[in-house]
Amino acid sequence: QVQLVESGGGLVQAGGSLRLSCAASGRTFSNKNMGWFRQAPGKEREFVAAISWSGINTYYADSVKGRFTVSRDNAKNTVYLQMVNLKPEDTAVYYCAADRSGIYPPTSATTRYDYWGQGTQVTISS
């Protein structure tokens, strides 16, 4: 069982930066791939970024590539999402999620993620 708690959301102006954190409980965090997703009002949840259990492999949605960086610290049971050059269209609730394993490469497929946090709101003003 893995429990996830996101933090770091807020209101920033376009062009600004935020760093989201996702703290995980449970002894099996370090052997799971992790992902970040977001959901804007009236839209479906979409993939943002994912990272392998080791932190070596990462995968990004085209819309955030070059602006967002996913990382993790397994000693702290925490995964991060550094976001720079934020745009109004980045406004959404951001969720972290834990893949059921770390055997396969990190994925955008929501069906692979068994554990989800409660989300943190990110609002970008123009």
Side-chain angles (χ1 to χ4, degrees):
Q1 189 78 7
V2 177
Q3 293 183 324
L4 305 171
V5 179
E6 303 96 335
S7 61
L11 170 65
V12 298
Q13 291 187 331
S17 302
L18 280 173
R19 188 176 83 155
L20 305 183
S21 298
C22 173
S25 64
R27 294 178 296 175
T28 59
F29 168 81
S30 61
N31 65 11
K32 294 184 184 298
N33 297 341
M34 297 293 293
W36 285 97
F37 294 79
R38 68 186 181 186
Q39 187 166 18
K43 295 187 176 181
E44 293 187 353
R45 189 169 298 187
E46 65 173 0
F47 169 74
V48 175
I51 187 167
S52 62
W53 67 270
S54 64
I56 292 175
N57 297 309
T58 56
Y59 176 40
Y60 297 93
D62 288 343
S63 59
V64 306
K65 202 172 294 183
R67 299 188 298 121
F68 291 11
T69 303
V70 60
S71 62
R72 67 191 295 162
D73 185 338
N74 286 342
K76 295 182 178 180
N77 276 12
T78 302
V79 62
Y80 304 97
L81 186 67
Q82 178 69 51
M83 307 184 293
V84 301
N85 191 21
L86 284 160
K87 304 176 181 181
E89 51 264 41
D90 294 319
T91 295
V93 176
Y94 283 70
Y95 300 89
C96 71
D99 193 330
R100 64 179 62 112
S101 80
I103 296 175
Y104 303 105
T107 180
S108 60
T110 56
T111 53
R112 278 269 303 277
Y113 292 88
D114 284 347
Y115 306 100
W116 295 81
Q118 83 290 348
T120 185
Q121 177 70 48
V122 170
T123 304
I124 312 302
S125 63
S126 58

PDB file of all heavy atoms in Angstrom, residues 90-105:
ATOM      1  N   ASP A  90      -1.497  25.802 -18.125  1.00  0.00           N
ATOM      2  CA  ASP A  90      -1.017  24.820 -17.143  1.00  0.00           C
ATOM      3  C   ASP A  90      -1.907  24.773 -15.907  1.00  0.00           C
ATOM      4  O   ASP A  90      -1.701  23.928 -15.028  1.00  0.00           O
ATOM      5  CB  ASP A  90       0.415  25.147 -16.708  1.00  0.00           C
ATOM      6  CG  ASP A  90       1.422  25.007 -17.835  1.00  0.00           C
ATOM      7  OD1 ASP A  90       1.319  24.039 -18.610  1.00  0.00           O
ATOM      8  OD2 ASP A  90       2.319  25.877 -17.934  1.00  0.00           O
ATOM      9  N   THR A  91      -2.863  25.670 -15.824  1.00  0.00           N
ATOM     10  CA  THR A  91      -3.771  25.698 -14.688  1.00  0.00           C
ATOM     11  C   THR A  91      -4.555  24.393 -14.604  1.00  0.00           C
ATOM     12  O   THR A  91      -5.200  23.980 -15.568  1.00  0.00           O
ATOM     13  CB  THR A  91      -4.745  26.883 -14.806  1.00  0.00           C
ATOM     14  OG1 THR A  91      -4.007  28.103 -14.714  1.00  0.00           O
ATOM     15  CG2 THR A  91      -5.795  26.831 -13.704  1.00  0.00           C
ATOM     16  N   ALA A  92      -4.474  23.745 -13.442  1.00  0.00           N
ATOM     17  CA  ALA A  92      -5.127  22.447 -13.250  1.00  0.00           C
ATOM     18  C   ALA A  92      -4.877  21.977 -11.820  1.00  0.00           C
ATOM     19  O   ALA A  92      -4.062  22.553 -11.100  1.00  0.00           O
ATOM     20  CB  ALA A  92      -4.576  21.412 -14.231  1.00  0.00           C
ATOM     21  N   VAL A  93      -5.567  20.913 -11.454  1.00  0.00           N
ATOM     22  CA  VAL A  93      -5.214  20.177 -10.253  1.00  0.00           C
ATOM     23  C   VAL A  93      -4.183  19.132 -10.668  1.00  0.00           C
ATOM     24  O   VAL A  93      -4.403  18.379 -11.623  1.00  0.00           O
ATOM     25  CB  VAL A  93      -6.434  19.497  -9.610  1.00  0.00           C
ATOM     26  CG1 VAL A  93      -6.005  18.667  -8.406  1.00  0.00           C
ATOM     27  CG2 VAL A  93      -7.467  20.542  -9.212  1.00  0.00           C
ATOM     28  N   TYR A  94      -3.068  19.126  -9.960  1.00  0.00           N
ATOM     29  CA  TYR A  94      -1.978  18.206 -10.276  1.00  0.00           C
ATOM     30  C   TYR A  94      -1.976  17.042  -9.287  1.00  0.00           C
ATOM     31  O   TYR A  94      -2.037  17.246  -8.070  1.00  0.00           O
ATOM     32  CB  TYR A  94      -0.642  18.935 -10.232  1.00  0.00           C
ATOM     33  CG  TYR A  94      -0.413  19.792 -11.456  1.00  0.00           C
ATOM     34  CD1 TYR A  94      -1.158  20.948 -11.678  1.00  0.00           C
ATOM     35  CD2 TYR A  94       0.539  19.435 -12.414  1.00  0.00           C
ATOM     36  CE1 TYR A  94      -0.965  21.719 -12.817  1.00  0.00           C
ATOM     37  CE2 TYR A  94       0.748  20.198 -13.548  1.00  0.00           C
ATOM     38  CZ  TYR A  94      -0.015  21.341 -13.748  1.00  0.00           C
ATOM     39  OH  TYR A  94       0.177  22.101 -14.879  1.00  0.00           O
ATOM     40  N   TYR A  95      -1.872  15.839  -9.845  1.00  0.00           N
ATOM     41  CA  TYR A  95      -1.895  14.616  -9.054  1.00  0.00           C
ATOM     42  C   TYR A  95      -0.608  13.829  -9.265  1.00  0.00           C
ATOM     43  O   TYR A  95      -0.127  13.727 -10.400  1.00  0.00           O
ATOM     44  CB  TYR A  95      -3.053  13.716  -9.474  1.00  0.00           C
ATOM     45  CG  TYR A  95      -4.419  14.324  -9.333  1.00  0.00           C
ATOM     46  CD1 TYR A  95      -4.992  15.060 -10.370  1.00  0.00           C
ATOM     47  CD2 TYR A  95      -5.157  14.165  -8.164  1.00  0.00           C
ATOM     48  CE1 TYR A  95      -6.257  15.615 -10.251  1.00  0.00           C
ATOM     49  CE2 TYR A  95      -6.419  14.702  -8.028  1.00  0.00           C
ATOM     50  CZ  TYR A  95      -6.966  15.432  -9.074  1.00  0.00           C
ATOM     51  OH  TYR A  95      -8.225  15.966  -8.944  1.00  0.00           O
ATOM     52  N   CYS A  96      -0.096  13.263  -8.205  1.00  0.00           N
ATOM     53  CA  CYS A  96       0.968  12.285  -8.394  1.00  0.00           C
ATOM     54  C   CYS A  96       0.368  10.887  -8.246  1.00  0.00           C
ATOM     55  O   CYS A  96      -0.677  10.713  -7.605  1.00  0.00           O
ATOM     56  CB  CYS A  96       2.133  12.488  -7.447  1.00  0.00           C
ATOM     57  SG  CYS A  96       1.836  12.077  -5.733  1.00  0.00           S
ATOM     58  N   ALA A  97       1.021   9.935  -8.839  1.00  0.00           N
ATOM     59  CA  ALA A  97       0.517   8.579  -8.855  1.00  0.00           C
ATOM     60  C   ALA A  97       1.679   7.593  -8.840  1.00  0.00           C
ATOM     61  O   ALA A  97       2.754   7.886  -9.377  1.00  0.00           O
ATOM     62  CB  ALA A  97      -0.345   8.350 -10.097  1.00  0.00           C
ATOM     63  N   ALA A  98       1.432   6.439  -8.246  1.00  0.00           N
ATOM     64  CA  ALA A  98       2.447   5.396  -8.168  1.00  0.00           C
ATOM     65  C   ALA A  98       2.048   4.237  -9.083  1.00  0.00           C
ATOM     66  O   ALA A  98       0.931   3.705  -8.978  1.00  0.00           O
ATOM     67  CB  ALA A  98       2.597   4.908  -6.733  1.00  0.00           C
ATOM     68  N   ASP A  99       2.972   3.889  -9.959  1.00  0.00           N
ATOM     69  CA  ASP A  99       2.796   2.728 -10.836  1.00  0.00           C
ATOM     70  C   ASP A  99       2.776   1.475  -9.971  1.00  0.00           C
ATOM     71  O   ASP A  99       3.395   1.441  -8.897  1.00  0.00           O
ATOM     72  CB  ASP A  99       3.982   2.703 -11.807  1.00  0.00           C
ATOM     73  CG  ASP A  99       3.805   1.763 -12.974  1.00  0.00           C
ATOM     74  OD1 ASP A  99       3.113   0.737 -12.817  1.00  0.00           O
ATOM     75  OD2 ASP A  99       4.381   2.052 -14.034  1.00  0.00           O
ATOM     76  N   ARG A 100       2.119   0.442 -10.446  1.00  0.00           N
ATOM     77  CA  ARG A 100       2.072  -0.785  -9.656  1.00  0.00           C
ATOM     78  C   ARG A 100       3.427  -1.482  -9.593  1.00  0.00           C
ATOM     79  O   ARG A 100       3.644  -2.351  -8.751  1.00  0.00           O
ATOM     80  CB  ARG A 100       1.014  -1.734 -10.213  1.00  0.00           C
ATOM     81  CG  ARG A 100       1.253  -2.267 -11.606  1.00  0.00           C
ATOM     82  CD  ARG A 100       0.132  -3.204 -11.993  1.00  0.00           C
ATOM     83  NE  ARG A 100      -1.138  -2.467 -12.020  1.00  0.00           N
ATOM     84  CZ  ARG A 100      -1.833  -2.217 -13.124  1.00  0.00           C
ATOM     85  NH1 ARG A 100      -1.393  -2.659 -14.280  1.00  0.00           N
ATOM     86  NH2 ARG A 100      -2.975  -1.566 -13.077  1.00  0.00           N
ATOM     87  N   SER A 101       4.369  -1.092 -10.452  1.00  0.00           N
ATOM     88  CA  SER A 101       5.706  -1.692 -10.376  1.00  0.00           C
ATOM     89  C   SER A 101       6.724  -0.763 -11.010  1.00  0.00           C
ATOM     90  O   SER A 101       6.396   0.325 -11.459  1.00  0.00           O
ATOM     91  CB  SER A 101       5.717  -3.050 -11.084  1.00  0.00           C
ATOM     92  OG  SER A 101       5.815  -2.880 -12.481  1.00  0.00           O
ATOM     93  N   GLY A 102       7.965  -1.225 -11.036  1.00  0.00           N
ATOM     94  CA  GLY A 102       9.013  -0.504 -11.731  1.00  0.00           C
ATOM     95  C   GLY A 102       9.653  -1.346 -12.814  1.00  0.00           C
ATOM     96  O   GLY A 102      10.722  -1.012 -13.311  1.00  0.00           O
ATOM     97  N   ILE A 103       8.986  -2.425 -13.185  1.00  0.00           N
ATOM     98  CA  ILE A 103       9.566  -3.365 -14.140  1.00  0.00           C
ATOM     99  C   ILE A 103       9.615  -2.765 -15.540  1.00  0.00           C
ATOM    100  O   ILE A 103      10.581  -2.934 -16.278  1.00  0.00           O
ATOM    101  CB  ILE A 103       8.755  -4.672 -14.152  1.00  0.00           C
ATOM    102  CG1 ILE A 103       8.844  -5.358 -12.783  1.00  0.00           C
ATOM    103  CG2 ILE A 103       9.249  -5.604 -15.252  1.00  0.00           C
ATOM    104  CD1 ILE A 103       7.983  -6.593 -12.662  1.00  0.00           C
ATOM    105  N   TYR A 104       8.566  -2.058 -15.904  1.00  0.00           N
ATOM    106  CA  TYR A 104       8.458  -1.520 -17.261  1.00  0.00           C
ATOM    107  C   TYR A 104       8.891  -0.057 -17.280  1.00  0.00           C
ATOM    108  O   TYR A 104       8.973   0.584 -16.241  1.00  0.00           O
ATOM    109  CB  TYR A 104       7.012  -1.659 -17.738  1.00  0.00           C
ATOM    110  CG  TYR A 104       6.528  -3.081 -17.701  1.00  0.00           C
ATOM    111  CD1 TYR A 104       5.658  -3.526 -16.712  1.00  0.00           C
ATOM    112  CD2 TYR A 104       6.957  -3.994 -18.660  1.00  0.00           C
ATOM    113  CE1 TYR A 104       5.223  -4.830 -16.663  1.00  0.00           C
ATOM    114  CE2 TYR A 104       6.519  -5.307 -18.615  1.00  0.00           C
ATOM    115  CZ  TYR A 104       5.656  -5.722 -17.619  1.00  0.00           C
ATOM    116  OH  TYR A 104       5.231  -7.020 -17.573  1.00  0.00           O
ATOM    117  N   PRO A 105       9.155   0.491 -18.459  1.00  0.00           N
ATOM    118  CA  PRO A 105       9.511   1.906 -18.541  1.00  0.00           C
ATOM    119  C   PRO A 105       8.375   2.783 -18.021  1.00  0.00           C
ATOM    120  O   PRO A 105       7.214   2.377 -18.041  1.00  0.00           O
ATOM    121  CB  PRO A 105       9.727   2.127 -20.044  1.00  0.00           C
ATOM    122  CG  PRO A 105      10.045   0.777 -20.590  1.00  0.00           C
ATOM    123  CD  PRO A 105       9.255  -0.179 -19.759  1.00  0.00           C
TER     124      PRO A 105
END
